[in-house]
Amino acid sequence: MKIIDFMAYELIEKINNKEIKVIDILQQTYENIEASEDLIHSFISLSKEEALEKARILDKKLDNGKQSGKLFGLPIAIKDLICVKNNLTTCGSKILEGYKPPYNATVSDRILEKENAICVGRTNMDEFAMGSSTENSSYGPSYNPWDFNRVPGGSSGGSATCVASGQTIISLGTDTGGSIRCPASYCGVTGLKPTYGRVSRYGLISYANSLDVIGPISRCVKDAALLLKIMAGKDPLDSTSYDIKVDNYTNDLDKPIEKKVLGVPKEFFGEGIEQSVKKKINEAIKISENLGAEIREITLPHLEYTIPTYYLIAMSEASSNLARFDGLRYGEMYDNPQSDVFEVFSKTRGEKFGEEVRRRIILGTYILSAGYYEMFYLKALKVRTLIKQDFKNAFTQCDAIVCPTMPTTAFKIGELVDDPLQMYLMDALTCPVNLAGLPALSIPCGFDQNNLPIGFQIIGNYFDEHTILNIGNLIENKLNIYRKIPQIIRNKK
Ligand code: GLN
């Protein structure tokens, strides 16, 4: 039995029916990783020993009929900025090289301890989640499994490449301005950004804390629903997590969507959107219409201010959040007995942070400084409220919003890396969702002329992940391309 052919929910059933041993699954997982890692570089670190050890323990439990947990024995890859106890967690940065947190993030606790999934390794990412291509990782870029000359998207690039290539079945990413949906779109997998506050951020190393959300990356919508159910819910350790009932997301995935109204914002289809992307998105919209949904044109008038608003807020928060990495509190210290405290701080931060992170800290500090605060930061907060209001108005007319996830398919490695502004513009369709705090799903909806995947984005109302998963699942069934994966692993073996 080859695990590469199965979705997570199918494999869970096979484990519980004793059709396959947990140790076999883990061994296959590492074989798959070893067969393909030099081509795509999904991981910053692997925890093979610990994972195999846990697999053996779980198999014993299974033999004794003592298995417990909804993800029992399932391998999962975790983005490198979500704390896993005693497991390397570097945020893709040299400043945290060798850092092993002494505690679990709440999601790690729920997934690994409570539900008994097994962490196989830590996935590659743009340093501190700043980027849209994973080229800003201090450990080298990841490569798109559909075309190794192209980026996988970012910042959760490794979490998408490992799932897209079949190295693992599910992973965790984070989404501050699109970092789950962008790589999901570029790599042809499913990515879910939950409502802000739906999933605890405790143990997630912050980039921009008013925007950051943890979410799953998977090969199908049902697996995303399964994971969300486990991750979601109030956490006393995170005051921004909401105490709102967690739906049973897997229950109504096949419910008809006949009475649903889908809003199509005209601003999401303007210039900058590639023709091939428009074509496939329109086809997916047509599918929803055939499923009985009503399609309605809507408008989000302040959308054009998204990028400046997002980057002003994200950089300001980043400059404050990253102040703790000074070599004294966190991070490896520049060590020279001759140096005074200022030199230690500036050398540590100057040498260990990468270029993009330094750029954002400097800009963020500038934005927050006296005199500029009102001009930039406060103004951005006001525009954020207007964008939020646009969405609130839109949701009085529709149940969900559908549009492209990214304006283009995956671009070439190196193409935008020296042009940060162009790279920022890539986030135009994902960032508004974060500014508003809404949930959104990206599912693959086809390929362009170069055989590169295209992502279809479904944006929901607050805490209505239920509806977007339902719509996504029905469209996925109709499209029926979700089992298609690039041939890397099969060819290499
Ligand atoms: N590309 C965006 C940025 O660089 C989004 C990153 C993210 O969601 N973590 O800020």
Side-chain angles (χ1 to χ4, degrees):
M1 186 189 299
K2 290 224 167 24
I3 61 165
I4 198 169
D5 296 321
F6 298 103
M7 301 293 126
Y9 72 91
E10 295 166 335
L11 210 54
I12 291 171
E13 215 179 283
K14 301 220 174 289
I15 299 171
N16 285 323
N17 292 341
K18 299 196 181 178
E19 289 171 54
I20 185 163
K21 279 190 176 309
V22 179
I23 190 78
D24 291 341
I25 294 180
L26 268 295
Q27 262 156 356
Q28 275 195 42
T29 301
Y30 284 106
E31 277 167 24
N32 291 345
I33 293 173
E34 278 149 28
S36 54
E37 186 59 3
D38 58 332
L39 295 170
I40 51 177
H41 188 220
S42 305
F43 292 93
I44 290 180
S45 62
L46 292 169
S47 26
K48 191 169 173 182
E49 296 285 298
E50 296 96 309
L52 294 180
E53 180 58 27
K54 182 163 178 187
R56 286 188 201 101
I57 295 172
L58 294 188
D59 273 332
K60 275 202 191 112
K61 288 196 175 168
L62 198 61
D63 286 343
N64 300 332
K66 290 214 171 99
Q67 74 265 37
S68 67
K70 295 189 193 74
L71 303 174
F72 188 89
L74 206 70
I76 185 167
I78 300 183
K79 189 176 179 180
D80 205 34
L81 79 175
I82 298 170
C83 290
V84 177
K85 192 174 174 180
N86 297 329
N87 202 273
L88 270 182
T89 304
T90 73
C91 290
S93 180
K94 289 284 176 202
I95 208 160
L96 280 178
E97 203 166 14
Y99 175 64
K100 291 187 176 174
Y103 68 102
N104 263 334
T106 297
V107 290
S108 309
D109 235 5
R110 291 188 180 172
I111 289 175
L112 304 173
E113 304 300 329
K114 186 153 172 275
E115 306 299 347
N116 264 326
I118 302 178
C119 175
V120 292
R122 312 309 305 272
T123 57
N124 197 16
M125 55 181 283
D126 286 301
E127 188 177 6
F128 284 98
M130 298 176 187
S132 310
S133 68
T134 315
E135 291 168 290
N136 296 335
S137 167
S138 303
Y139 300 91
S142 298
Y143 302 92
N144 194 306
W146 295 95
D147 178 348
F148 306 138
N149 294 315
R150 294 187 186 257
V151 302
S155 64
S156 316
S159 293
T161 55
C162 67
V163 173
S165 61
Q167 289 180 326
T168 52
I169 319 169
I170 45 168
S171 67
L172 293 186
T174 60
D175 197 311
T176 305
S179 280
I180 289 177
R181 290 160 291 154
C182 161
S185 173
Y186 281 0
C187 293
V189 290
T190 298
L192 173 65
K193 176 221 173 280
T195 309
Y196 181 79
R198 176 76 294 183
V199 173
S200 167
R201 286 184 298 112
Y202 178 75
L204 160 65
I205 299 174
S206 291
Y207 157 22
N209 48 286
S210 80
L211 301 155
D212 298 339
V213 187
I214 306 176
I217 294 183
S218 57
R219 281 172 64 194
C220 67
V221 174
K222 190 166 176 181
D223 284 353
L226 184 76
L227 274 161
L228 181 64
K229 167 87 180 134
I230 290 162
M231 296 159 72
K234 175 73 187 163
D235 174 14
L237 297 172
D238 173 6
S239 61
T240 61
S241 68
Y242 277 77
D243 198 0
I244 289 183
K245 185 178 157 279
V246 176
D247 289 329
N248 205 343
Y249 301 107
T250 44
N251 270 7
D252 293 328
L253 289 175
D254 295 316
K255 228 166 99 180
I257 52 167
E258 269 148 25
K259 298 213 164 57
K260 301 277 179 215
V261 180
L262 303 187
V264 180
K266 57 174 190 282
E267 294 84 358
F268 274 72
F269 290 81
E271 66 182 278
I273 316 288
E274 266 174 14
Q275 273 314 322
S276 54
V277 173
K278 268 191 202 164
K279 185 166 168 275
K280 287 291 164 193
I281 298 300
N282 284 328
E283 282 172 27
I285 293 176
K286 193 81 204 142
I287 291 177
S288 3
E289 205 173 3
N290 292 340
L291 286 164
E294 183 193 325
I295 309 299
R296 189 175 295 171
E297 189 177 293
I298 56 163
T299 170
L300 300 164
H302 296 94
L303 209 77
E304 60 177 301
Y305 305 112
T306 294
I307 293 296
T309 309
Y310 168 81
Y311 276 95
L312 285 171
I313 293 173
M315 287 178 184
S316 303
E317 291 185 17
S319 73
S320 155
N321 283 323
L322 269 58
R324 71 191 66 152
F325 302 100
D326 53 16
L328 207 60
R329 287 171 291 179
Y330 288 95
E332 205 189 320
M333 185 159 62
Y334 169 79
D335 201 7
N336 180 355
Q338 253 74 70
S339 301
D340 63 14
V341 64
F342 296 106
E343 189 167 275
V344 168
F345 280 6
S346 62
K347 286 270 190 200
T348 301
R349 290 166 66 81
E351 285 173 13
K352 303 278 176 167
F353 281 136
E355 193 185 338
E356 184 60 27
V357 173
R358 291 202 307 274
R359 176 171 20 250
R360 295 192 190 197
I361 292 175
I362 291 169
L363 285 169
T365 310
Y366 176 80
I367 297 162
L368 292 180
S369 56
Y372 294 110
Y373 178 91
E374 289 80 6
M375 202 186 336
F376 296 123
Y377 184 66
L378 260 189
K379 186 76 159 268
L381 290 186
K382 289 177 183 165
V383 181
R384 181 178 190 174
T385 305
L386 293 175
I387 293 174
K388 224 184 232 176
Q389 201 54 51
D390 280 358
F391 277 109
K392 282 196 177 148
N393 292 341
F395 280 112
T396 60
Q397 303 160 54
C398 61
D399 300 295
I401 295 171
V402 289
C403 56
T405 307
M406 298 300 290
T408 66
T409 49
F411 49 91
K412 294 235 168 74
I413 301 254
E415 198 178 322
L416 299 182
V417 82
D418 296 324
D419 191 349
L421 208 58
Q422 278 306 319
M423 184 86 88
Y424 299 166
L425 288 172
M426 283 293 164
D427 303 332
L429 312 181
T430 49
C431 284
V433 174
N434 301 74
L435 287 172
L438 294 163
L441 178 71
S442 178
I443 59 165
C445 68
F447 295 83
D448 74 356
Q449 62 285 1
N450 298 320
N451 200 31
L452 297 169
I454 294 167
F456 182 62
Q457 182 170 218
I458 311 168
I459 305 169
N461 208 341
Y462 294 101
F463 296 98
D464 193 14
E465 283 83 0
H466 200 85
T467 298
I468 56 174
L469 289 165
N470 176 203
I471 298 169
N473 181 59
L474 292 187
I475 298 177
E476 174 188 279
N477 284 344
K478 283 281 174 226
L479 285 164
N480 201 20
I481 51 169
Y482 66 100
R483 284 184 194 268
K484 188 170 161 186
I485 54 172
Q487 289 295 315
I488 319 168
I489 287 174
R490 290 188 219 275
N491 287 352
K492 265 246 169 173
K493 275 184 167 177

